[in-house]
Amino acid sequence: MLTNRIKTVFVSFVILFSITPLFLVAQTFTLRGKVLDADTKIFVDGASVTLKGTAHGMPSTGGGNFKFEKVAKDKYTLNINAEGYTTYEQVVNLRNDLDLGEIFLLKHGAAGTGAAIQHSIRANNIMRLLNERPNFMGGNMIYGLPPQAAEVEGDNYLDIKWNTASLLLYKDQKMLEGYRIRYDISSNSFEMLAPESNQISRLAGLRVQNVVWVDSVYKVPRYFVNGMDFLDEGSPISGFFEVIVDGELPLMRRTMAVFKESNYNEALMIGNQNHQIIKRNIYYYLDEKNVIEVPTKRKQLYLIFGEKAEQMKEYINANALSIREPSALFQIFTYYNAMFPDFKPITTRLVEEN
């Protein structure tokens, strides 16, 4: 069962446009780091290292090192690109001289990348779109007035609230306990507040095997497993699945964050003027290591229950359950798994954020 493997266990989405008056002399700092291959731990020279939206950019040299000098105090998005590797991005809050230490790049085709990236919930294109284009809509000015700036509605967090959690790391099965966390869907990373501290740190999702957090509102535990341990059409998956029902046939949920650009027509004054980040839940069942989307048609759903298909059909019909409703799926899979010995529900209620 999945719960046997779930042990008690930043990249914030930031868009910052700042204008510094010319008469102010900004305090400056140094930012440095070292780029390495995640698998071989060998340095990567020639990687393009930039601070988005600034003139700061250089290749990594002399053993994967980079160093930016005279950088003004601010928040920046560090971007690293190297041929054959996935793009790396990190938000840096520069308040003092800062050494980022070793930064690891994943090769295309490495475990958890390659074909899996195409099935990923990482949406780096969202940040890239908003950083590289003006924050004003296109179109002509009306009577000499510029159009109102488009804003972004919504957020990239699985849960915007801070929840107390325990995280099990892949490396040495190390446990991090007592942290308050938020999970950023688009960057597949965790923002973490250390116990009795307000300092935020970031932890890449690919380092975390399992997460258990206690929902701060519903006061129930929620269990999450890394998609890298499963297969979608034969490839590992980037991102996390929430285990809703464990047992013989687990039910899991994956939350996607999709960027929807403004469709406002200024001439006709119709449409949505702001960009939107829309989150939607997709439900899966687990067949060995394969995650498969739960069918939305009754006949196909009955088939996944094998020899108990007819019994499940009778149960669903007798209770007039709509298989498109998350609460009904929770009830259906709980009923099915309860037919097998040693079944214990991991939660008694379904927490729905969206």
Side-chain angles (χ1 to χ4, degrees), residues 16 18-21 24-31 51 54-56 68-77 92-98:
L16 183 63
S18 62
I19 302 176
T20 304
L24 292 178
V25 179
Q27 191 175 7
T28 62
F29 303 103
T30 298
L31 175 68
L51 296 180
T54 75
H56 294 286
F68 296 125
E69 297 180 308
K70 297 182 179 179
V71 183
K73 177 182 178 180
D74 210 336
K75 285 185 180 180
Y76 300 95
T77 298
V92 178
N93 191 357
L94 193 62
R95 297 182 177 178
N96 301 286
D97 290 343
L98 180 61

Side-chain angles (χ1 to χ4, degrees), residues 74-202:
D74 210 336
K75 285 185 180 180
Y76 300 95
T77 298
L78 176 73
N79 178 278
I80 303 178
N81 280 288
E83 185 175 357
Y85 293 87
T86 59
T87 298
Y88 177 91
E89 288 191 344
Q90 176 181 349
V91 170
V92 178
N93 191 357
L94 193 62
R95 297 182 177 178
N96 301 286
D97 290 343
L98 180 61
D99 187 351
L100 297 176
E102 296 179 338
I103 297 174
F104 296 99
L105 301 186
L106 285 171
K107 284 183 178 178
H108 293 303
T113 61
I117 289 296
Q118 297 179 19
H119 298 284
S120 170
I121 59 174
R122 293 166 56 174
N124 289 331
N125 59 304
I126 298 173
M127 184 174 287
R128 185 173 299 112
L129 173 68
L130 295 174
N131 282 336
E132 294 181 356
R133 65 172 292 174
N135 198 30
F136 288 90
M137 298 176 56
N140 297 324
M141 294 185 181
I142 300 178
Y143 300 110
L145 297 176
Q148 182 177 344
E151 298 178 353
V152 178
E153 299 174 353
D155 60 81
N156 285 300
Y157 295 108
L158 179 63
D159 183 352
I160 193 65
K161 304 184 300 296
W162 292 95
N163 298 293
T164 302
S166 295
L167 303 92
L168 178 67
L169 305 184
Y170 280 109
K171 186 175 182 180
D172 301 326
Q173 295 292 281
K174 181 180 179 181
M175 192 88 70
L176 302 179
E177 298 187 85
Y179 283 83
R180 288 170 289 163
I181 68 168
R182 297 193 300 190
Y183 176 64
D184 188 321
I185 299 170
S186 67
S187 63
N188 187 23
S189 64
F190 292 90
E191 289 181 5
M192 304 175 62
L193 282 171
E196 300 180 0
S197 169
N198 289 322
Q199 185 174 358
I200 298 176
S201 59
R202 184 182 67 87

